[in-house]
Amino acid sequence: MVHWVGHEKDHIISIWSSLKKDVIGPKVLERMFVVYPWTQKYFPFDGKFKAEDHPVKVHADKVVSALDIAVAHLDSVKDNFTELSKKHADIFHVDVENFKLLADCFIIELAHCLQAKFTPEVQVAWEKFFKVVVDALSKEYH
């Protein structure tokens, strides 16, 4: 279990609730596909995609929904992600490194969206949050 300190939970919950998730989710995936093109292999693209493409939007909605659960249950993310981890390990065979890459892209997009509000304290909270999420998604790979 992670130990949240100071205002970390508050930063995560308040920022997450203020985001336009239907916008940021596809942008994060698009960024990942551009910066890490090998991650495209899990999707039907043919090398051409945009944030507004249907497969990107559909998966972005799933990612955002999972993150909604993580934010709502900050003290039990691993428990809430067991099935999702199993699915990614056993059915989709997603390389666990992709979870880290997606988390990095989320951090970058958050910084871009929040700009001056993305303070060092906020960054630390989000880095910690995504570390917990990546650990939870990687759980069934071990």
Side-chain angles (χ1 to χ4, degrees), residues 92-112:
F92 303 132
H93 308 288
V94 174
D95 184 332
V96 295
E97 187 64 25
N98 289 359
F99 303 137
K100 295 174 190 169
L101 301 176
L102 184 62
D104 288 345
C105 290
F106 251 106
I107 296 293
I108 292 166
E109 197 60 38
L110 284 168
H112 179 73

Side-chain angles (χ1 to χ4, degrees), residues 6-60:
H7 295 286
E8 291 173 337
K9 281 184 175 181
D10 294 337
H11 289 314
I12 293 164
I13 292 166
S14 66
I15 289 169
W16 187 251
S17 67
S18 72
L19 292 174
K20 293 181 181 178
K21 294 178 214 103
D22 60 327
V23 174
I24 195 171
K27 283 185 177 183
V28 168
L29 285 176
E30 182 179 32
R31 181 180 302 278
M32 185 178 72
F33 296 145
V34 169
V35 177
Y36 309 107
W38 66 87
T39 61
Q40 297 173 32
K41 72 181 182 177
Y42 301 102
F43 300 90
F45 286 134
D46 281 345
K48 300 174 187 169
F49 57 88
K50 296 281 183 212
E52 63 272 2
D53 288 346
H54 182 71
V56 175
K57 286 179 119 177
V58 168
H59 193 66

Side-chain angles (χ1 to χ4, degrees), residues 52-108:
E52 63 272 2
D53 288 346
H54 182 71
V56 175
K57 286 179 119 177
V58 168
H59 193 66
D61 287 346
K62 291 177 183 179
V63 169
V64 165
S65 292
L67 292 174
D68 281 337
I69 292 167
V71 170
H73 303 281
L74 286 170
D75 292 322
S76 58
V77 175
K78 278 190 180 182
D79 294 338
N80 283 285
F81 275 32
T82 300
E83 289 304 313
L84 195 57
S85 178
K86 283 181 185 178
K87 207 182 251 189
H88 280 81
D90 299 337
I91 297 170
F92 303 132
H93 308 288
V94 174
D95 184 332
V96 295
E97 187 64 25
N98 289 359
F99 303 137
K100 295 174 190 169
L101 301 176
L102 184 62
D104 288 345
C105 290
F106 251 106
I107 296 293
I108 292 166

Side-chain angles (χ1 to χ4, degrees), residues 107 118-128:
I107 296 293
F118 197 71
T119 65
E121 186 179 77
V122 168
Q123 180 188 3
V124 166
W126 280 102
E127 293 280 353
K128 189 172 186 177

